[in-house]
Amino acid sequence: MAVAEVMRAVRITRHGGPEVLELAEVPVPTPGAGEVLVRVGAVALNNTDVWTREGAYGRPGAPDTLAGWRGPIDFPRVQGADVAGRVAAVGTGVDGSLLGRRVVVDPAIYDAAGPDANPVGLMGSERDGGYAEFVTAPVERAHDVTESPLTDDQLAALPTAYGTALGMIERGRLRAGETALVSGASGGVGLALVQLARARGARVLAVSSGCKVEPVRAAGAHAVLDRAGDLTGQLRAAAPEGVDVVLDVVAGPLLGEGLPLLRESGRWVVAGALAGYDVSFDVRRLYLHNAQVIGSSMHTPAHFGLLVDLARRAGIQPVIAGVFPLEQAARAQRELSRRAHVGKIVLRP
């Protein structure tokens, strides 16, 4: 399979607004030992792209410091964590039979080799990503989905949003028959949480508003609570006996106000802070009721394996909100930041 020497890529050379995204011609990367080169069919956008571009993650002890997902960025950096495509070349030590196979890439960089390793880096932040015609990845992170009936757009929607969602559900030990509350349910991770929690057999309560209510309900929510109203009052009415697991990408005041609504031994899983990271709560509601507040950052390799199994049999159907060409990456990120959509926004190189 012939591969060009030069490709188009969208990269950042500094932190800033959408204007720092630049379309450039750069050399096609060469896969190293144990790596594959993937011809990108689709790359999905995530909030991580925006926050990495802005440098919004901060650093321990210095929350206002400009930084990428896990620290300083090595510029220039090609953005984009979520890639689906086909293997175009292989590095030393990689089975040549992978050539031409359709893959979805696990974007995490892990701290160990085992199935329960923790992500400590992310493609598009700590290494170059998929806002490009080609990208390299370790062969063990390129999962063969050739037989999946899902489109490239749908496969690209999975890694960060659905991986993060599945990591939250697994760490929260959500079981069939339990009641789960999903905050920010119309966003990429939120909609994934609704679909995955429903597929697990949970009763799903989702928080959304306006024109997004019906798409959230269609994704599998048993009831949708209006975030513009009295949220705790609505939650008490919808789940008078309390909630088993909260799957929270919003945080902010919701955590302090909602913690007393957990059942005994309830779990509150946090994987985002859209409403603010500086929160407070009554710690008595935590220890007197054997509750748990659990931080969840993306997924483990084992979680991602479960997700790939779902993708191969189309056990979930990611919702695609919009598709843009690569050269309109800045426009696509602006659309993502508006939060007027339901589902995932995708670029096609």
Side-chain angles (χ1 to χ4, degrees):
M1 184 181 296
V3 176
E5 296 182 357
V6 177
M7 68 175 184
R8 297 181 308 142
V10 173
R11 60 186 189 175
I12 54 175
T13 57
R14 66 187 191 281
H15 293 301
E19 70 281 353
V20 305
L21 289 162
E22 63 173 35
L23 181 67
E25 286 199 348
V26 299
V28 172
T30 300
E35 291 186 334
V36 294
L37 178 70
V38 178
R39 186 187 301 272
V40 179
V43 55
L45 274 63
N46 293 285
N47 288 327
T48 54
D49 298 346
V50 174
W51 296 333
T52 294
R53 189 237 309 142
E54 293 174 344
Y57 282 102
R59 302 186 68 184
D64 295 325
T65 299
L66 296 181
W69 197 65
R70 292 298 288 258
I73 295 288
D74 290 331
F75 296 114
R77 174 63 73 224
V78 178
Q79 287 215 278
D82 289 2
V83 170
R86 291 189 181 271
V87 176
V90 299
T92 304
V94 177
D95 188 347
S97 67
L98 286 174
L99 285 169
R101 302 298 289 179
R102 195 163 171 243
V103 296
V104 61
V105 179
D106 179 353
I109 301 167
Y110 294 104
D111 63 355
D116 300 319
N118 295 304
V120 293
L122 184 66
M123 199 161 74
S125 180
E126 281 65 48
R127 66 178 286 163
D128 281 342
Y131 282 20
E133 292 175 308
F134 295 92
V135 66
T136 58
V139 64
E140 65 271 18
R141 303 293 166 235
H143 295 261
D144 192 335
V145 288
T146 303
E147 306 306 321
S148 173
L150 298 180
T151 67
D152 279 359
D153 293 346
Q154 290 177 308
L155 289 169
L158 294 175
T160 299
Y162 285 77
T164 296
L166 191 53
M168 294 172 72
I169 286 171
E170 289 289 309
R171 293 183 179 110
R173 306 184 306 283
L174 180 65
R175 298 182 292 269
E178 291 190 317
T179 297
L181 174 68
V182 176
S183 70
S186 63
V189 176
L191 207 65
L193 285 166
V194 170
Q195 290 181 313
L196 291 168
R198 179 64 184 260
R200 185 154 294 201
R203 178 174 179 246
V204 182
L205 310 178
V207 180
S208 190
S209 65
C211 63
K212 299 179 181 180
V213 167
E214 286 309 315
V216 170
R217 186 174 284 116
H222 292 86
V224 183
L225 313 182
D226 184 358
R227 70 164 179 253
D230 175 9
L231 198 52
T232 54
Q234 294 175 76
L235 186 53
R236 284 192 180 95
E241 296 181 0
V243 175
D244 296 291
V245 180
V246 177
L247 303 166
D248 186 13
V249 297
V250 172
L254 176 65
L255 203 162
E257 296 169 3
L259 196 63
L261 302 179
L262 281 179
R263 286 178 177 168
E264 293 291 322
S265 300
R267 290 85 72 197
W268 194 294
V269 187
V270 182
L274 292 171
Y277 60 83
D278 190 5
V279 303
S280 62
F281 57 84
D282 184 345
V283 73
R284 295 169 297 182
R285 304 284 69 79
L286 192 67
Y287 72 80
L288 288 174
H289 302 281
N290 296 304
Q292 298 177 52
V293 175
I294 302 168
S296 183
S297 180
M298 290 189 67
H299 51 262
T300 66
H303 297 156
F304 202 82
L306 295 174
L307 183 62
V308 171
D309 287 342
L310 282 171
R312 288 179 179 136
R313 64 176 190 269
I316 43 177
Q317 292 286 333
V319 177
I320 305 303
V323 178
F324 293 82
L326 183 65
E327 59 269 20
Q328 293 183 16
R331 179 185 167 196
Q333 284 198 6
R334 289 189 183 97
E335 187 66 22
L336 178 69
S337 297
R338 288 180 58 230
R339 305 192 190 286
H341 63 287
V342 175
K344 296 293 290 181
I345 294 174
V346 173
L347 296 177
R348 287 187 193 152

